[in-house]
Amino acid sequence: MTTHLALLRGINVSGHNMMKMEALKTMLQNIGFTNVRTYLQSGNVFVDTDEESASKVGFMIKQEIFKVFGHEVPVVVIAKEDLELCFKNNPFLKEKEVDSKKLYVAFVSIALKKESINDLKISQFKPDEASIDGNRIFIKYAIGAGKTRFDQKYIEKKLNVTATIRNWNTVTNLLNIYSE
């Protein structure tokens, strides 16, 4: 049995793609996932399954959400190791007195090369900063996530990937839940 964390992008945000977590949980159990648990209302869902392929799990979830709720929702599925690497490899955590409220992680659908940072043209968003590590983009916003154009839509367009962003507090809590 493998535990997967599915990160659903863009649900229950500003009245769009509304889904009750209890209904989502029931839907996922109905298609065979077990030990389904959610965190927050923003689409963080843990599922247990015999299916080891993260991409297959993501496809199953995306397909069923469309069938049941009628929403086209991008899904990025990550493993516990992805969250652990967030703590090990986030270059911004090494800075003295870093404000963790300004730290975010964009999880993307494919592993990126370090050179992909050039495609993001992050210099256009100074003083925001970013660093690529596999299927994660570590972000440090200078002011905050709501006041930048360096967002998930920009990342998806520049890198031709599916992406979803979580703040550092959420990343920390998701790892704690994975470890329970």
Side-chain angles (χ1 to χ4, degrees):
M1 196 62 71
T2 302
T3 300
H4 296 278
L5 171 57
L7 303 175
L8 314 180
R9 192 194 72 224
I11 67 162
N12 299 335
V13 178
S14 304
H16 297 286
N17 293 338
M18 299 305 291
M19 259 182 259
K20 295 215 180 287
M21 292 299 100
E22 198 55 43
L24 177 65
K25 184 177 178 179
T26 300
M27 178 206 78
L28 293 172
Q29 290 168 334
N30 289 343
I31 61 169
F33 293 113
T34 59
N35 196 23
V36 178
R37 52 224 184 272
T38 62
Y39 175 71
L40 300 176
Q41 297 293 314
S42 56
N44 306 292
V45 185
F46 291 90
V47 297
D48 289 352
T49 178
D50 290 331
E51 179 56 64
E52 292 183 20
S53 168
S55 60
K56 284 183 183 175
V57 169
F59 179 77
M60 290 169 61
I61 293 171
K62 179 179 177 164
Q63 190 175 35
E64 196 66 14
I65 288 172
F66 185 75
K67 195 162 84 177
V68 173
F69 297 103
H71 303 316
E72 186 71 37
V73 176
V75 178
V76 176
V77 178
I78 62 173
K80 181 179 181 183
E81 294 77 28
D82 290 313
L83 292 175
E84 290 170 337
L85 287 170
C86 285
F87 289 86
K88 181 180 175 194
N89 297 343
N90 188 334
F92 304 118
L93 289 179
K94 295 173 177 74
E95 296 176 3
K96 287 185 180 179
E97 300 179 30
V98 66
D99 183 356
S100 65
K101 291 181 179 140
K102 294 182 179 175
L103 298 182
Y104 288 74
V105 181
F107 295 95
V108 296
S109 55
I110 60 170
L112 301 170
K113 296 180 176 136
K114 293 270 187 210
E115 303 82 55
S116 298
I117 196 74
N118 298 328
D119 298 330
L120 286 175
K121 297 180 177 27
I122 189 68
S123 62
Q124 296 177 31
F125 298 100
K126 289 288 181 196
D128 293 340
E129 298 177 60
S131 176
I132 290 178
D133 178 52
N135 65 336
R136 295 162 298 279
I137 302 173
F138 299 112
I139 303 168
K140 183 173 84 172
Y141 290 119
I143 298 172
K147 304 210 187 311
T148 184
R149 291 182 301 119
F150 184 61
D151 59 10
Q152 148 269 317
K153 288 180 184 175
Y154 180 85
I155 291 168
E156 288 182 334
K157 183 178 179 183
K158 287 295 183 184
L159 300 179
N160 195 28
V161 295
T162 298
T164 186
I165 298 177
R166 298 297 187 270
N167 66 45
W168 194 250
N169 184 54
T170 298
V171 170
T172 301
N173 288 328
L174 291 172
L175 181 58
N176 289 337
I177 294 169
Y178 236 132
S179 299
E180 290 175 353

